[in-house]
Amino acid sequence: RVPFSFLQAIMRGEDISKPVLQVINTRAIATGNGPPRYRVLMSDGVNTLSSFMLATQLNSLVEEEHMSAQCICQVNRFIVNTLKDGRRVVILMDLDVLKTADKVGGNIGNPVPYNEGEWQQRPSAPAANPAPSKPQQQNSNLAVAGKSNPGQEFWFPFNSDVLHDFRWTICARVTQKGQIRTWSNSRGEGKLFSIELVDESGEIRATAFNDQADKFFPLIELNKVYYFTKGILKTANKQYTAVKNDYEMTFTNETSVVPCDDAQHLPSVQFEFVSISDLENTPKDSIVDVIGICKSYEDVTKITVKANNREVSKRNVHLMDTSGKLVTATLWGSEAEQFDGSRQPVIAIKGARVSDFGGRSLSVLSSSTVVINPDSPEAFKLRGWYEFDSEGQLLECTSISDVRGGPASGVNTNWKTLFEAKSENLGQGDKADYFSCVGTVIHLRKENCMYQACPSQDCNKKVIDQQNGLYRCEKCDREFPNFKYRMMLLVTIADCLEYQWVTCFQESAEFILGQNAAFLGELKEKNEQAFEEVFQNANFNTYEFRIRVKLETYNDESRIKATAMDVKPVNYREYSKRLIASIRRNAQLG
């Protein structure tokens, strides 16, 4: 009776479920800058075969010595690839070590080397059916692409060295899809778009140019799974991508993309999250993955890019994680316009760039992926911590994007009482300081709170009444038949311990008074009593203030000037959380 050989069955392409094999030896193969690859000599007690390659996600088994010579393994999933020269390689995608080497004590049986040559010399069977329209999965362990030309193609994992062979097919999920971008230089004009793909072995970036960009852009959808056949593999340019692969793909005229409906096993976006607190020590321009609760967000603003004079949308969102640190991340374009943070979603960002502008902040790039409320353990844990854990509910976060003079004026962090702000000497340094507080308006100085300003869009200088129906702006060196009202309102605010004079400019002043400057100017000229009532009604209202403090010198006298950068209604839920957390801290100190 001829003994059964798992290895022979595997190499014949038979459907083998979870074979148990013995490791005879492992050998590291150099791969340049990428992670090492391990070649494995395995035995089934009858034959030995050295054509096994370990998927890189299993490298730790070898490196931590769980998988060593003479151990017994159960192979849960594998892929058989055929190289250009006909040799077959078995990629081990998932396995369990059933017995470590010290419990086995030696090689099992008297295995002899499997003769690959016999297999290679067998004529391949002619195709019984015409080529299928899409690749067909043969069994749970072996995935072979259908024949679209006389040379057979095989489904390879991304980390397989055989991708350098042009005849391949991969099955992958699209986790990021960029917009079509154009370029123009001395060599001509063109267009491109890029996608990021994920399978069980890793991730890779692919780019389509010109005709291929027009062809594939409307076909490829985000988060869908496709078979990608043929393309050119080249060394990745790390300047333009954060994908963790030494190579990237370029589509060609022969590339085909076919939807795959049965690929629920493929992962979605792969993240390697960094704690927000760790960003403080992360070098500038590093590319990182972060996840956080959207603690607050700002309105969309428009800025003009100097390079091409193009207007783009921008929005800052403020993310907090369990470290208690908060970071500002900037969204751009359609992502900024469509973002809704009203329900405080969990946001995961893959490939954000670290900036040192105002402490540490993040910028979302065109190659970044932003996922709202991702279906992942990290997101569930963060949401549970924030909504149901007392620590998350009461934690007072500290911003790393607003460190002594940072620009993130829209984020309500660095909470202080007015007494704390004064006792800590905020504003006494070389740079301005920013803090947030809850204060009640107790006095408004209506004298000189408004002035007639230049009507030009980008000029707010005070104009001179020429007494002839014209108003002159010295800055613009022009005379105008009209003007606009601008506000500079001096307000006294107070909390339970202290008070502070604060200067409120246009938007802040209009918010506190509940009227716009144009209406107030007209009211002042036509109905002085109604004008007075507006100021009386504005007293004794409580708001959240974002305040900038800076030591200024005027007429040889130095004093702290406080300016309201933002004024908004009190979020009493968050305010109550901070008060409870403060009470608990003080109780512990007592």
Side-chain angles (χ1 to χ4, degrees), residues 295-310:
K295 189 75 172 174
S296 60
Y297 63 102
E298 301 173 25
D299 294 333
V300 173
T301 58
K302 300 283 188 179
I303 66 168
T304 301
V305 180
K306 292 182 179 179
N308 53 18
N309 203 34
R310 182 170 58 93

Side-chain angles (χ1 to χ4, degrees), residues 87-328:
R87 289 183 299 116
R88 292 199 164 196
V89 177
V90 183
I91 309 295
L92 301 174
M93 303 300 296
D94 181 35
L95 61 81
D96 294 320
V97 177
L98 302 181
K99 279 191 176 183
T100 55
D102 59 317
K103 296 180 180 178
V104 177
N107 293 343
I108 297 175
N110 296 298
V112 296
Y114 175 76
N115 191 342
E116 295 183 62
E118 291 181 6
W119 173 253
Q120 293 173 10
Q121 291 166 10
R122 295 187 183 184
S124 52
N129 300 312
S133 60
K134 69 175 183 178
Q136 302 294 316
Q137 184 167 321
Q138 301 297 313
N139 56 56
S140 61
N141 294 318
L142 173 62
V144 183
K147 294 167 68 174
S148 59
N149 57 45
Q152 195 172 21
E153 299 162 345
F154 290 89
W155 171 13
F156 298 115
F158 294 154
N159 58 14
S160 174
D161 293 334
V162 297
L163 273 179
H164 290 284
D165 184 345
F166 188 69
R167 304 175 306 148
W168 47 258
T169 294
I170 60 173
C171 181
R173 187 183 303 277
V174 179
T175 58
Q176 200 275 340
K177 178 184 177 184
Q179 296 298 313
I180 289 183
R181 294 181 289 131
T182 59
W183 80 86
S184 177
N185 54 33
S186 58
R187 292 180 292 179
E189 299 179 346
K191 65 181 71 173
L192 64 87
F193 83 97
S194 295
I195 57 177
E196 292 177 12
L197 307 174
V198 166
D199 74 357
E200 299 107 316
S201 68
E203 55 188 351
I204 197 167
R205 185 173 185 251
T207 302
F209 292 88
N210 300 323
D211 293 342
Q212 281 70 47
D214 291 333
K215 176 182 178 181
F216 291 116
F217 186 83
L219 298 178
I220 297 175
E221 297 182 36
L222 188 64
N223 211 37
K224 294 292 183 65
V225 178
Y226 300 89
Y227 291 102
F228 296 85
T229 304
K230 294 189 178 180
I232 297 174
L233 205 66
K234 63 178 183 179
T235 303
N237 188 339
K238 296 297 186 179
Q239 181 180 353
Y240 299 108
T241 177
V243 173
K244 295 173 177 62
N245 197 316
D246 290 335
Y247 300 97
E248 59 187 13
M249 286 190 282
T250 300
F251 291 168
T252 71
N253 291 330
E254 297 187 53
T255 300
S256 69
V257 179
V258 179
C260 173
D261 299 324
D262 183 23
Q264 297 302 316
H265 63 283
L266 287 182
S268 55
V269 185
Q270 294 183 329
F271 294 97
E272 292 185 10
F273 292 121
V274 174
S275 171
I276 292 176
S277 62
D278 293 338
L279 295 178
E280 292 182 280
N281 301 314
T282 301
K284 176 180 178 290
D285 293 330
S286 297
I287 304 297
V288 298
D289 302 346
V290 296
I291 187 170
I293 292 283
C294 178
K295 189 75 172 174
S296 60
Y297 63 102
E298 301 173 25
D299 294 333
V300 173
T301 58
K302 300 283 188 179
I303 66 168
T304 301
V305 180
K306 292 182 179 179
N308 53 18
N309 203 34
R310 182 170 58 93
E311 189 177 70
V312 297
S313 299
K314 169 187 174 183
R315 185 198 296 268
N316 287 338
V317 298
H318 311 292
L319 307 179
M320 181 187 77
D321 65 7
T322 55
S323 68
K325 299 292 185 178
L326 184 143
V327 68
T328 299

